[in-house]
Amino acid sequence: MNILVLDDEKEIADLVEVYLKNENYNVYKFYTSQEAVECINTVKLDLAILDVMIKDKDGFEICKLIREKGFKFPIIMLTAKIEDNDKIKGLTLGADDYITKPFNPLEVIARVKSHIRRYTKYNDKNDERSIYINGLEILREKHKCMLYGKEIEFTPIEFEILLYLAINRSKVISSEELFEKVWKEKYLDNNNTVMVHVRRIREKLKEDTKNPKFIKTIWGVGYKLE
Protein backbone atom coordinates (compact mmCIF):
# COMPACT_ATOMS: atom_id res chain seq x y z
CA MET A 1 0.00 0.00 0.00
CA ASN A 2 1.37 3.41 -1.01
CA ILE A 3 0.67 6.35 1.29
CA LEU A 4 1.50 9.99 0.63
CA VAL A 5 2.37 12.18 3.63
CA LEU A 6 2.54 15.96 3.14
CA ASP A 7 3.46 18.24 6.04
CA ASP A 8 5.94 21.13 6.16
CA GLU A 9 6.55 20.44 9.88
CA LYS A 10 9.36 17.94 9.41
CA GLU A 11 9.06 16.46 12.90
CA ILE A 12 5.42 15.57 12.32
CA ALA A 13 5.98 14.21 8.82
CA ASP A 14 8.92 12.12 10.04
CA LEU A 15 6.93 10.78 12.99
CA VAL A 16 3.99 9.74 10.83
CA GLU A 17 6.40 8.11 8.38
CA VAL A 18 8.02 5.99 11.13
CA TYR A 19 4.69 4.67 12.40
CA LEU A 20 3.40 3.93 8.89
CA LYS A 21 6.59 2.09 7.94
CA ASN A 22 6.30 0.02 11.11
CA GLU A 23 2.98 -1.20 9.66
CA ASN A 24 4.76 -2.08 6.40
CA TYR A 25 3.22 0.71 4.33
CA ASN A 26 5.23 2.32 1.53
CA VAL A 27 5.53 5.99 2.47
CA TYR A 28 6.06 8.90 0.09
CA LYS A 29 6.91 11.78 2.43
CA PHE A 30 7.14 15.39 1.33
CA TYR A 31 7.62 18.76 2.99
CA THR A 32 6.46 20.82 -0.02
CA SER A 33 3.29 20.71 -2.07
CA GLN A 34 5.16 20.81 -5.39
CA GLU A 35 6.91 17.52 -4.65
CA ALA A 36 3.63 16.01 -3.47
CA VAL A 37 1.86 16.98 -6.70
CA GLU A 38 4.62 15.32 -8.75
CA CYS A 39 4.12 12.15 -6.71
CA ILE A 40 0.33 12.24 -7.19
CA ASN A 41 0.87 12.43 -10.93
CA THR A 42 3.33 9.54 -11.10
CA VAL A 43 2.63 7.06 -8.28
CA LYS A 44 -0.42 4.84 -7.77
CA LEU A 45 -1.47 5.89 -4.28
CA ASP A 46 -3.82 4.16 -1.85
CA LEU A 47 -4.21 7.02 0.66
CA ALA A 48 -3.02 10.60 1.27
CA ILE A 49 -2.40 12.45 4.53
CA LEU A 50 -2.37 16.19 3.88
CA ASP A 51 -1.53 19.09 6.16
CA VAL A 52 -4.15 21.84 5.76
CA MET A 53 -1.86 24.80 6.45
CA ILE A 54 1.08 24.38 4.13
CA LYS A 55 2.87 26.96 1.99
CA ASP A 56 2.28 27.29 -1.75
CA LYS A 57 -0.67 24.96 -2.40
CA ASP A 58 -2.45 24.23 0.88
CA GLY A 59 -4.07 20.93 1.81
CA PHE A 60 -7.46 22.01 0.46
CA GLU A 61 -5.98 22.75 -2.97
CA ILE A 62 -4.13 19.44 -3.07
CA CYS A 63 -7.31 17.61 -2.03
CA LYS A 64 -9.27 19.36 -4.79
CA LEU A 65 -6.55 18.52 -7.30
CA ILE A 66 -6.67 14.83 -6.38
CA ARG A 67 -10.42 14.63 -6.83
CA GLU A 68 -10.40 16.63 -10.06
CA LYS A 69 -7.94 14.11 -11.48
CA GLY A 70 -10.47 11.40 -10.69
CA PHE A 71 -8.49 9.62 -7.98
CA LYS A 72 -10.75 7.92 -5.43
CA PHE A 73 -8.27 6.94 -2.72
CA PRO A 74 -9.01 8.22 0.83
CA ILE A 75 -7.72 11.60 1.98
CA ILE A 76 -7.04 12.43 5.63
CA MET A 77 -6.49 16.10 6.51
CA LEU A 78 -4.13 17.17 9.31
CA THR A 79 -4.97 20.48 10.95
CA ALA A 80 -3.80 22.47 13.99
CA LYS A 81 -7.38 23.54 14.67
CA ILE A 82 -10.74 22.29 13.53
CA GLU A 83 -13.60 24.61 12.73
CA ASP A 84 -16.91 23.61 11.16
CA ASN A 85 -16.37 25.79 8.10
CA ASP A 86 -12.94 24.28 7.43
CA LYS A 87 -14.25 20.77 7.95
CA ILE A 88 -17.20 21.32 5.62
CA LYS A 89 -14.87 22.85 3.03
CA GLY A 90 -12.55 19.87 3.17
CA LEU A 91 -15.32 17.29 3.01
CA THR A 92 -16.96 19.15 0.16
CA LEU A 93 -13.69 19.05 -1.77
CA GLY A 94 -13.49 15.29 -1.23
CA ALA A 95 -11.62 14.72 2.03
CA ASP A 96 -12.65 11.63 3.99
CA ASP A 97 -11.43 12.42 7.49
CA TYR A 98 -9.78 14.99 9.79
CA ILE A 99 -7.14 14.59 12.48
CA THR A 100 -6.38 17.52 14.79
CA LYS A 101 -2.86 18.31 15.97
CA PRO A 102 -1.42 17.37 18.38
CA PHE A 103 -2.43 13.76 17.84
CA ASN A 104 -1.56 10.28 19.01
CA PRO A 105 0.32 8.51 16.18
CA LEU A 106 -1.59 5.32 17.00
CA GLU A 107 -4.81 7.17 16.22
CA VAL A 108 -3.42 8.05 12.80
CA ILE A 109 -2.57 4.40 12.16
CA ALA A 110 -6.06 3.31 13.24
CA ARG A 111 -7.70 5.83 10.90
CA VAL A 112 -5.41 4.84 8.03
CA LYS A 113 -6.20 1.13 8.45
CA SER A 114 -9.92 1.85 8.62
CA HIS A 115 -9.97 3.92 5.44
CA ILE A 116 -7.74 1.54 3.49
CA ARG A 117 -9.95 -1.38 4.52
CA ARG A 118 -13.02 0.44 3.17
CA TYR A 119 -11.20 1.54 0.03
CA THR A 120 -10.04 -2.02 -0.62
CA LYS A 121 -13.60 -3.31 -0.27
CA TYR A 122 -14.84 -0.60 -2.61
CA ASN A 123 -12.38 -1.72 -5.26
CA ASP A 124 -12.98 -5.43 -4.72
CA LYS A 125 -15.77 -6.35 -7.14
CA ASN A 126 -16.25 -9.65 -5.34
CA ASP A 127 -17.08 -8.03 -2.02
CA GLU A 128 -20.23 -5.93 -2.18
CA ARG A 129 -21.25 -6.40 1.45
CA SER A 130 -19.91 -2.95 2.20
CA ILE A 131 -19.68 -0.25 -0.46
CA TYR A 132 -17.62 2.85 0.30
CA ILE A 133 -17.73 5.92 -1.95
CA ASN A 134 -16.14 9.21 -0.84
CA GLY A 135 -17.43 9.23 2.73
CA LEU A 136 -20.64 7.35 1.94
CA GLU A 137 -20.72 3.77 3.27
CA ILE A 138 -23.56 1.38 2.41
CA LEU A 139 -23.80 -1.75 4.56
CA ARG A 140 -25.84 -4.21 2.50
CA GLU A 141 -26.51 -6.91 5.05
CA LYS A 142 -27.39 -4.48 7.84
CA HIS A 143 -29.43 -2.19 5.55
CA LYS A 144 -27.59 0.82 6.93
CA CYS A 145 -26.05 3.85 5.31
CA MET A 146 -23.30 5.96 6.91
CA LEU A 147 -22.23 9.41 5.76
CA TYR A 148 -18.86 10.48 7.24
CA GLY A 149 -19.46 8.03 10.09
CA LYS A 150 -23.00 9.19 10.89
CA GLU A 151 -25.95 6.94 10.12
CA ILE A 152 -28.52 8.30 7.66
CA GLU A 153 -32.07 7.06 8.08
CA PHE A 154 -33.52 5.91 4.77
CA THR A 155 -36.83 4.19 4.03
CA PRO A 156 -36.47 0.68 2.53
CA ILE A 157 -37.26 2.03 -0.95
CA GLU A 158 -34.76 4.87 -0.62
CA PHE A 159 -32.12 2.44 0.59
CA GLU A 160 -32.76 0.06 -2.32
CA ILE A 161 -32.47 2.92 -4.83
CA LEU A 162 -29.17 4.06 -3.35
CA LEU A 163 -27.88 0.49 -3.15
CA TYR A 164 -28.76 -0.27 -6.78
CA LEU A 165 -27.03 2.92 -7.95
CA ALA A 166 -24.00 2.06 -5.79
CA ILE A 167 -23.72 -1.50 -7.14
CA ASN A 168 -23.83 -0.05 -10.64
CA ARG A 169 -21.69 2.96 -9.74
CA SER A 170 -20.38 5.06 -12.61
CA LYS A 171 -23.06 3.59 -14.91
CA VAL A 172 -26.05 5.67 -16.01
CA ILE A 173 -29.26 3.99 -14.81
CA SER A 174 -32.53 4.95 -16.48
CA SER A 175 -35.65 5.75 -14.47
CA GLU A 176 -37.30 2.73 -16.10
CA GLU A 177 -34.57 0.32 -15.00
CA LEU A 178 -34.43 1.82 -11.52
CA PHE A 179 -38.20 1.54 -11.06
CA GLU A 180 -38.44 -2.06 -12.30
CA LYS A 181 -35.45 -3.25 -10.24
CA VAL A 182 -36.54 -1.54 -7.00
CA TRP A 183 -40.33 -1.65 -7.14
CA LYS A 184 -40.29 -4.92 -9.15
CA GLU A 185 -43.23 -3.73 -11.22
CA LYS A 186 -43.68 -2.84 -14.87
CA TYR A 187 -42.60 0.72 -15.60
CA LEU A 188 -45.58 2.84 -16.62
CA ASP A 189 -44.26 6.40 -16.94
CA ASN A 190 -43.33 6.52 -13.27
CA ASN A 191 -40.53 9.02 -13.73
CA ASN A 192 -42.06 11.36 -11.14
CA THR A 193 -42.04 8.56 -8.55
CA VAL A 194 -38.37 7.87 -9.14
CA MET A 195 -37.54 11.57 -9.28
CA VAL A 196 -39.23 12.32 -5.94
CA HIS A 197 -37.43 9.48 -4.19
CA VAL A 198 -34.07 10.53 -5.61
CA ARG A 199 -34.75 14.07 -4.41
CA ARG A 200 -35.45 12.79 -0.88
CA ILE A 201 -32.24 10.78 -0.89
CA ARG A 202 -30.31 13.86 -1.95
CA GLU A 203 -31.90 15.91 0.82
CA LYS A 204 -30.89 13.34 3.42
CA LEU A 205 -27.36 13.30 2.02
CA LYS A 206 -27.43 17.12 2.20
CA GLU A 207 -26.62 17.33 -1.48
CA ASP A 208 -26.05 20.61 -3.28
CA THR A 209 -28.97 20.53 -5.73
CA LYS A 210 -27.01 22.46 -8.37
CA ASN A 211 -23.87 20.35 -8.05
CA PRO A 212 -24.62 17.06 -6.26
CA LYS A 213 -21.60 15.10 -5.06
CA PHE A 214 -23.12 11.64 -5.13
CA ILE A 215 -26.18 11.18 -7.36
CA LYS A 216 -25.77 12.89 -10.72
CA THR A 217 -28.68 13.51 -13.10
CA ILE A 218 -27.88 12.74 -16.71
CA TRP A 219 -30.63 14.70 -18.40
CA GLY A 220 -32.80 12.65 -20.72
CA VAL A 221 -31.03 9.44 -19.72
CA GLY A 222 -31.19 8.74 -15.99
CA TYR A 223 -29.05 8.81 -12.83
CA LYS A 224 -25.49 7.92 -11.95
CA LEU A 225 -23.77 7.50 -8.58
CA GLU A 226 -20.11 8.61 -8.71
Side-chain angles (χ1 to χ4, degrees), residues 41-146:
N41 289 330
T42 57
V43 178
K44 185 180 182 301
L45 298 171
D46 298 288
L47 185 140
I49 300 175
L50 308 175
D51 181 29
V52 170
M53 301 301 294
I54 194 168
K55 296 176 182 178
D56 195 11
K57 288 183 181 293
D58 63 24
F60 293 132
E61 292 179 274
I62 300 295
C63 177
K64 182 180 180 181
L65 175 69
I66 290 171
R67 294 305 182 224
E68 285 179 343
K69 287 180 174 292
F71 297 125
K72 305 297 184 182
F73 56 78
I75 299 173
I76 298 175
M77 308 296 286
L78 295 180
T79 177
K81 61 178 181 178
I82 188 65
E83 296 180 0
D84 287 341
N85 289 340
D86 286 342
K87 186 173 183 180
I88 292 171
K89 180 180 179 181
L91 295 176
T92 301
L93 292 174
D96 297 280
D97 205 352
Y98 269 84
I99 296 178
T100 307
K101 300 176 183 178
F103 53 78
N104 184 332
L106 295 178
E107 178 188 359
V108 176
I109 297 302
R111 301 274 191 96
V112 166
K113 286 183 176 180
S114 176
H115 284 292
I116 284 183
R117 183 171 62 250
R118 289 170 180 157
Y119 180 58
T120 302
K121 285 184 177 180
Y122 166 61
N123 285 288
D124 184 355
K125 303 302 181 182
N126 296 318
D127 185 357
E128 293 288 359
R129 289 175 297 175
S130 178
I131 302 174
Y132 188 79
I133 305 172
N134 290 341
L136 176 66
E137 186 173 15
I138 302 170
L139 307 175
R140 283 184 80 171
E141 296 179 354
K142 295 182 179 180
H143 277 249
K144 288 185 178 182
C145 182
M146 313 292 288

Side-chain angles (χ1 to χ4, degrees), residues 128 131 133 138 161-170 225:
E128 293 288 359
I131 302 174
I133 305 172
I138 302 170
I161 290 173
L162 189 60
L163 176 61
Y164 190 76
L165 290 173
I167 291 173
N168 295 281
R169 51 192 176 273
S170 296
L225 183 66

Side-chain angles (χ1 to χ4, degrees), residues 194-210:
V194 173
M195 183 175 64
V196 169
H197 279 81
V198 169
R199 186 173 67 211
R200 289 176 181 170
I201 294 170
R202 284 173 170 160
E203 288 173 354
K204 291 182 179 182
L205 293 175
K206 302 187 185 303
E207 290 267 60
D208 180 349
T209 55
K210 294 183 179 179

Side-chain angles (χ1 to χ4, degrees), residues 27-42:
V27 181
Y28 294 82
K29 177 187 65 178
F30 303 102
Y31 306 128
T32 68
S33 56
Q34 182 178 350
E35 293 177 308
V37 170
E38 291 175 1
C39 177
I40 291 166
N41 289 330
T42 57

Side-chain angles (χ1 to χ4, degrees), residues 173-190:
I173 306 298
S174 68
S175 296
E176 178 178 354
E177 179 181 347
L178 199 52
F179 185 87
E180 292 184 354
K181 293 294 184 181
V182 173
W183 276 266
K184 302 189 184 305
E185 298 175 10
K186 185 66 178 176
Y187 181 82
L188 297 172
D189 194 26
N190 286 293

